[in-house]
Amino acid sequence: RAGLRTGPARRARLPRSTSYGVRDPRAARIQRDIRRATPTMNTASANEAKASFDHIYTQATPHDYLQHLGRLDYSICDEFRPFCDAAARYLQARDGRVRMLDIGCSYGINAAVAKFGTPFTELARCFDANVPRASEHAEGVARRLFARLEPEVELECGGLDVSTPAIRFARRVGLLDHGIDQDLEADDAELAPADRSWLEGVNLLASTGAIGYVTDRTFRRVLDAMGSGGGQAVCLLTVLRMFDPEPVARALRAHGLQSALIGDTLLPQRRFHDRQEQADVVSLLRERKLDTGPEEGGRLYARLLVAARAEELPHVVRRLEQVSAHRPTLYRPPGAAAPSRAAGRSPSAEATQS
């Protein structure tokens, strides 16, 4: 019978990043750099290029979710974890606590990987071998499995997702301390008082793979609900290359948070579902004058967007660079020299590649 064991996620090195704060003489470039990193694009057309997996997010248990994405070598949670860990430790030192909201959390798998350091593939194997599919039994078994694990990072986790079954499961097995099953993209969306109260204490906003499905509208509503705490938060967001990070960065700036893309190394999210999905995504990137080399290799890739107060952003980025120093390069164009440990490329560099 498969068991859960904790351990470090796969290591990968990012080149050093360029960060911009208000006091930095290059501060005025931050908006332009992020805007240039991906030419303006229509979110709907980018979403249409991706395969739809809607059915795996609405089951009573995460078995189908874990098995389906596992077959596609889903890795973004594992690649994201060391960066999340660095941000959490920074906030623990600053605030004495960490309360994270995972936007697009599904079944709380990101919380499990972040808290316990258990790789996604092990979670999938463990559920397949140990957890029955019947929800009334699955929840109890999963709750006991996770209760036996020792957290690697002290982290209070909340999640936001449109899937009520996914949020319900994550809450009942203890992966989420608070769950919000609501579509904040809807015109009439309004957070409940209890949700607004919980959000006021959030100091870490995280998201892996949700941007595109959620837009700046969701981020504005979350940040509004956080009140004054929104301007004190640290944000870590992965953004697939076919989506424009600028609208979300603009929403963050409106709440006092400056943003930077971490270098030009790309985090692998998963393999393409089929040749058609790959062809559609490559075609979309080619239309936007972006290098298609990464995706032609067979995987979707994302960039890492970090945001914090202007005076804190260099310190947060430095922490992430310390993580990157112990990670092998995930992707760089064929024939390119290995990235220097002393200097990185501007976030705008990708826009210059055709």
Side-chain angles (χ1 to χ4, degrees):
R1 292 167 67 83
L4 291 178
R5 58 182 173 83
T6 61
R10 288 188 295 157
R11 301 296 181 190
R13 179 176 302 146
L14 297 179
R16 290 177 62 86
S17 309
T18 303
S19 61
Y20 304 95
V22 167
R23 293 187 177 89
D24 192 297
R26 298 168 296 177
R29 291 175 52 195
I30 180 61
Q31 292 90 345
R32 184 174 70 253
D33 286 338
I34 292 181
R35 192 158 49 241
R36 288 178 57 201
T38 305
T40 301
M41 59 187 68
N42 180 277
T43 299
S45 65
N47 273 322
E48 289 170 1
K50 288 178 62 185
S52 174
F53 303 137
D54 289 351
H55 64 286
I56 67 175
Y57 295 96
T58 57
Q59 308 301 310
T61 71
H63 289 82
D64 288 347
Y65 169 89
L66 290 167
Q67 290 178 6
H68 191 93
L69 292 182
R71 287 194 291 268
L72 297 177
D73 296 333
Y74 189 74
S75 58
I76 195 66
C77 294
D78 295 340
E79 302 295 352
F80 182 75
R81 190 197 68 83
F83 298 100
C84 184
D85 179 81
R89 294 182 189 280
Y90 174 82
L91 289 168
Q92 183 67 41
R94 189 192 76 176
D95 299 339
R97 62 174 185 85
V98 185
R99 177 179 285 186
M100 179 180 82
L101 177 70
D102 183 11
I103 297 177
C105 65
S106 68
Y107 294 91
I109 302 304
N110 222 17
V113 175
K115 276 185 178 180
F116 307 119
T118 305
F120 183 92
T121 51
E122 285 200 23
L123 287 171
R125 284 197 298 268
C126 182
F127 264 74
D128 186 53
N130 295 283
V131 182
R133 282 182 171 266
S135 60
E136 62 271 21
H137 303 300
E139 291 170 359
V141 173
R143 184 165 53 249
R144 289 190 292 274
L145 283 171
F146 289 119
R148 291 202 298 263
L149 297 180
E150 189 71 26
E152 290 190 353
V153 180
E154 290 301 323
L155 197 62
E156 184 182 4
C157 291
L160 168 68
D161 202 280
V162 298
S163 173
T164 296
I167 288 285
R168 182 189 300 121
F169 181 89
R171 288 282 289 120
R172 288 180 176 175
V173 304
L175 289 178
L176 294 181
D177 301 292
H178 187 84
I180 305 172
D181 54 337
Q182 194 166 356
D183 181 5
L184 296 187
E185 296 292 307
D187 291 338
D188 59 351
E190 185 173 345
L191 287 162
D195 295 332
R196 299 183 72 88
S197 177
W198 194 89
L199 288 172
E200 288 176 359
V202 168
N203 57 1
L204 177 59
L205 281 177
S207 183
T208 56
I211 292 179
Y213 297 113
V214 302
T215 69
D216 57 299
R217 174 178 285 197
T218 289
F219 281 88
R220 290 181 191 279
R221 285 173 165 167
V222 167
L223 289 162
D224 286 344
M226 291 169 64
S228 61
Q232 309 294 316
V234 170
C235 304
L236 280 181
L237 317 169
T238 69
V239 186
L240 284 171
R241 292 213 303 139
M242 56 222 206
F243 294 111
D244 185 358
E246 169 57 19
V248 170
R250 189 162 52 241
L252 297 171
R253 287 197 298 274
H255 289 78
L257 301 174
Q258 295 294 318
S259 305
L261 291 168
I262 299 300
D264 62 350
T265 293
L266 308 175
L267 306 180
Q269 179 150 318
R270 62 168 172 83
R271 287 189 294 104
F272 285 106
H273 176 65
D274 53 28
R275 291 181 181 274
Q276 186 60 57
E277 183 187 32
Q278 181 180 17
D280 289 346
V281 170
V282 167
S283 176
L284 192 64
L285 293 172
R286 192 172 288 129
E287 288 175 11
R288 275 98 193 220
K289 311 296 187 203
L290 295 178
D291 171 30
T292 60
E295 286 73 16
E296 286 175 353
R299 300 183 70 93
L300 283 161
Y301 282 88
R303 291 160 300 172
L304 184 63
L305 182 74
V306 57
R309 292 183 298 179
E311 61 269 27
E312 286 192 293
L313 185 60
H315 304 291
V316 176
V317 169
R318 191 173 303 120
R319 296 251 177 159
L320 301 183
E321 289 175 344
Q322 289 170 355
V323 172
S324 75
H326 300 285
R327 297 170 64 86
T329 301
L330 296 174
Y331 175 86
R332 64 178 183 268
S340 169
R341 293 279 294 276
R345 296 170 59 190
S346 164
S348 64
E350 184 177 309
T352 67
Q353 300 175 8
S354 59

